[in-house]
Amino acid sequence: MFGPRVKLDWIRRTETNRNTRKLIVFFHGWCGVRFTWKPFLKRLRDDPNLAEFDIVACAYKTWVFSNLSTTQVVGTSISLLESQNVSEYQSVTVVGFSIGGLLARLLWLTAHGENKLMNGRHKADWADRIDHIVLLASPNRGSTVPERYWWGQFGVAIGELTASGRQIRECIQGGRVVTNLRIDWIRATDDPARPLPFVTQVLAPDDTWVQQSESEDVTLRRNGRQVMIGSGGHLGVLKFKGSHAQTYQAVKSAILGSNHASAFDENVRSDSRQLVILRHGIRTSGQWVDRAHQLITDQLMPATGLADATERTVEVDSSRYGWFTARHFIQPWTRSQQLCDFCDQYTEHLARNPRATFYFVGHSFGTWLLGAALHNCPSMRFEAVAVVGSVLKAKYPWYRLRSEGQIAALRSDCASNDVPVGVLCCVLEHTPFIAKRLFPLLGTGGSEGFHDNNDWVRSNRFMKGGHSVGVDSEENLRSIAQWIARCIRERKPVVPETTPLQTVKARGPLFERLPMLGGFVVPVLALLWAMAVAVASNMGGPYWGT
């Protein structure tokens, strides 16, 4: 409970002739009590073949509801290592067990100044001395505990409500740190001119926490490989006695092994792919997604009817998340799960297409997924973005995102009678506590238009119709598809087009007065709902919410 949240625990330390010695830096996993990993480091210390290595563990505070960020752990660890003159060592090998494997890769990125979440850090003078990274049962795609176990889902839900458990929430599959780590790692290791450390993932076949297919960030890169040991579960990679004897040899070989190129997977594309992501809103099955998919494909198909080189390098992701109800939207944990799925799908596309250019078309809740992903992940980039009936704030900083290279061009279509955005989102945005804690990005950008408005960030206002007019209209969808296809063909952003639908000059007067009522309307409605529930319960009858 007390003491420093991150500290160095030296297993072997030499004060002289460091320029001829090497260093092993170890990161443990979640809830990593010392008896689970200390024997492993002592075994390394006692091995005569590893006598040239000093060994240090970066021990950090960890428990279920810890708010100690992994970026803080890595940043503090680097500062502590530099205070111990790590630059004097001939080479550095970073070893990480479980979530510690994510910290190991994050250390390499941060030391090289490639971690977008820590933009203030410059490249360390010892960064190029990191020549090996050994991952022991590392969930390189992020932890899947919340997906597989009810107690994991419960813990994430409590964390979302109480703003706790940040350490775990940001490292789940699609979490904030994992997504930025994967994107930065993929782009950094795709640079053919960059010297890279050799990366080895050691995994047990009976590991139920980490799957073999979840290490594509490592196995699909030119400097990585995955080694399967004979037996054992998640903790099996730290056991070396009896039937686990070969595990130690695998780890030892990874530490001592020389750099060599891994077999480059044929599924990794070296060309510049174009990826279009389509996302629908809530309370719909998103039929317009299929129409938009076909329209984009038709726009890229030449008059001959045969696919040309451009069409063959384009993929359209039109996956759906089913019927997402208003109740699911209100719950922070279900919203967060959809956001994690969106970020995970983006990084999976990037893992197999490291030089891909991304485009986005979304409606309603789909636009919130995009806005939240860009807000959380400064490494995420989109060339052209089209949002219809957006539920993001009118003050959403599109101009800043464009200046930082996260987007290049934006088209926003706004309707004149958009009640879900103009009324509901407006009331929630201007209600105390709810706006800041539960819906920090929710707003009326799809109704009143975004304030950042110029040639490259254009709000088409106001199309005559309701919330879904922009995606229900074949003419408007075709206009969006034409713009996206033009950006793809020209391989550069194109000034967003205006909507072909009939427009009016202003919204109804009700929409303009709602912000001042937000702080009054929602509490009154909540009180009336609570009274109705109480009355219905006392009468023994059904009530809304059952």
Side-chain angles (χ1 to χ4, degrees):
M1 293 290 294
F2 302 99
R5 295 195 293 176
V6 183
K7 66 177 182 178
L8 299 183
D9 187 355
W10 287 90
I11 309 301
R12 177 165 58 207
R13 183 179 185 182
T14 304
E15 299 294 346
T16 59
N17 300 323
R18 285 188 175 181
N19 59 335
T20 62
R21 296 187 59 78
K22 302 176 181 180
L23 177 66
I24 293 176
V25 178
F26 177 78
F27 287 98
H28 59 78
W30 281 336
C31 303
V33 291
R34 291 168 62 89
F35 70 81
T36 61
W37 51 267
K38 199 67 175 285
F40 163 73
L41 296 182
K42 288 182 177 179
R43 176 66 184 274
L44 297 180
R45 179 196 63 189
D46 297 338
D47 191 324
N49 294 323
L50 299 177
E52 60 181 333
F53 287 89
D54 282 357
I55 304 173
V56 62
C58 296
Y60 56 96
K61 299 288 186 181
T62 172
W63 69 297
V64 176
F65 297 111
S66 173
N67 272 336
L68 177 61
S69 171
T70 48
T71 55
Q72 291 178 281
V73 173
V74 170
T76 305
S77 297
I78 290 178
S79 298
L80 291 174
L81 288 170
E82 290 178 342
S83 70
Q84 298 295 316
N85 300 318
V86 66
S87 58
E88 295 180 358
Y89 285 95
Q90 180 183 6
S91 68
V92 178
T93 297
V94 188
V95 182
F97 167 67
S98 191
I99 291 299
L102 299 178
L103 297 176
R105 291 199 290 155
L106 200 61
L107 178 88
W108 182 83
L109 284 171
T110 307
H112 281 266
E114 297 285 353
N115 182 1
K116 291 291 193 300
L117 291 177
M118 302 176 69
N119 259 338
R121 281 191 174 270
H122 302 289
K123 181 178 178 180
D125 57 358
W126 52 275
D128 290 331
R129 300 187 186 185
I130 303 176
D131 56 4
H132 290 80
I133 298 178
V134 182
L135 310 174
L136 307 177
S138 172
N140 294 303
R141 190 177 169 181
S143 173
T144 57
V145 168
E147 291 184 17
R148 299 180 182 178
Y149 304 99
W150 68 266
W151 49 268
Q153 297 175 356
F154 178 76
V156 170
I158 294 298
E160 290 284 350
L161 285 175
T162 61
S164 63
R166 177 183 177 187
Q167 189 178 97
I168 290 181
R169 286 188 290 119
E170 64 187 14
C171 286
I172 62 177
Q173 199 167 95
R176 174 174 173 264
V177 169
V178 166
T179 301
N180 280 284
L181 163 63
R182 296 186 66 194
I183 295 173
D184 291 339
W185 178 270
I186 291 167
R187 289 182 175 144
T189 55
D190 186 59
D191 184 358
R194 180 192 292 273
L196 299 175
F198 187 57
V199 184
T200 302
Q201 161 88 330
V202 180
L203 187 64
D206 302 326
D207 194 331
T208 58
W209 293 54
V210 181
Q211 303 300 313
Q212 185 176 355
S213 60
E214 295 174 357
S215 294
E216 291 184 341
D217 296 2
V218 173
T219 59
L220 298 188
R221 308 276 78 80
R222 60 186 171 89
N223 64 317
R225 64 173 180 171
Q226 184 163 244
V227 176
M228 302 298 296
I229 59 177
S231 62
H234 191 60
L235 288 172
V237 294
L238 296 180
K239 298 177 181 178
F240 306 136
K241 296 180 180 180
S243 61
H244 299 283
Q246 65 168 321
T247 302
Y248 180 71
Q249 294 302 319
V251 175
K252 180 179 172 180
S253 298
I255 294 174
L256 294 174
S258 58
N259 287 329
H260 63 273
S262 61
F264 196 67
D265 194 285
E266 61 181 5
N267 294 318
V268 181
R269 300 184 176 98
S270 59
D271 55 355
S272 298
R273 307 288 293 185
Q274 316 289 309
L275 280 142
V276 184
I277 298 178
L278 310 176
R279 289 296 181 270
H280 60 83
I282 67 171
R283 304 186 70 249
T284 177
S285 55
Q287 294 90 341
W288 68 267
V289 169
D290 292 332
R291 299 203 311 275
H293 187 161
Q294 187 60 50
L295 287 169
I296 293 172
T297 303
D298 292 343
Q299 291 296 324
L300 294 171
M301 189 75 70
T304 59
L306 300 175
D308 63 1
T310 300
E311 196 275 335
R312 287 195 299 270
T313 61
V314 175
E315 293 181 20
V316 181
D317 176 359
S318 56
S319 58
R320 307 178 190 181
Y321 41 80
W323 191 274
F324 199 70
T325 65
R327 176 175 62 85
H328 290 144
F329 176 72
I330 292 174
Q331 295 171 347
W333 54 90
T334 49
R335 262 199 337 268
S336 176
Q337 181 57 55
Q338 291 300 328
L339 175 60
C340 287
D341 290 344
F342 178 82
C343 293
D344 181 64
Q345 290 163 3
Y346 179 98
T347 47
E348 282 296 285
H349 283 306
L350 190 65
R352 293 194 170 273
N353 305 275
R355 300 172 193 173
T357 303
F358 288 84
Y359 305 84
F360 180 86
V361 180
H363 172 242
S364 190
F365 177 61
T367 69
W368 182 89
L369 291 175
L370 172 76
L374 291 172
H375 176 77
N376 291 339
C377 307
S379 301
M380 190 174 287
R381 303 175 194 162
F382 286 89
E383 188 77 356
V385 171
V387 293
V388 181
S390 175
V391 295
L392 292 169
K393 286 179 175 291
K395 294 181 180 180
Y396 189 83
W398 295 111
Y399 186 80
R400 177 179 62 80
L401 295 182
R402 185 173 187 274
S403 65
E404 294 175 356
Q406 287 192 262
I407 67 164
L410 170 79
R411 167 178 168 168
S412 173
D413 291 350
C414 310
S416 60
N417 296 306
D418 193 334
V419 174
V421 177
V423 177
L424 297 179
C425 291
C426 181
V427 170
L428 291 174
E429 181 185 9
H430 293 86
T431 301
F433 176 75
I434 290 181
K436 183 176 181 180
R437 179 67 193 96
L438 300 181
F439 304 100
L441 297 176
L442 195 70
T444 57
S447 176
E448 65 177 282
F450 292 110
H451 294 181
D452 286 346
N453 205 29
N454 53 54
D455 287 343
W456 294 101
V457 180
R458 174 172 295 176
S459 292
N460 288 323
R461 44 187 183 180
F462 299 96
M463 301 181 300
K464 193 172 182 180
H467 183 54
S468 300
V469 65
V471 292
D472 288 341
S473 167
E474 189 84 7
E475 189 179 6
N476 196 63
L477 269 185
R478 183 176 291 106
S479 171
I480 293 174
Q482 289 173 345
W483 177 56
I484 295 292
R486 187 181 169 196
C487 292
I488 291 174
R489 284 194 177 279
E490 298 188 15
R491 301 292 180 113
K492 65 179 182 180
V494 178
V495 175
E497 300 177 355
T498 57
T499 176
L501 300 185
Q502 180 184 358
T503 59
V504 294
K505 292 184 178 180
R507 301 178 297 166
L510 173 64
F511 296 109
E512 307 298 336
R513 298 191 182 98
L514 277 174
M516 65 184 68
L517 300 176
F520 171 77
V521 172
V522 172
V524 171
L525 291 178
L527 178 61
L528 292 176
W529 177 80
M531 293 172 61
V533 169
V535 171
S537 299
N538 291 332
M539 295 176 62
Y543 58 93
W544 184 85
T546 303

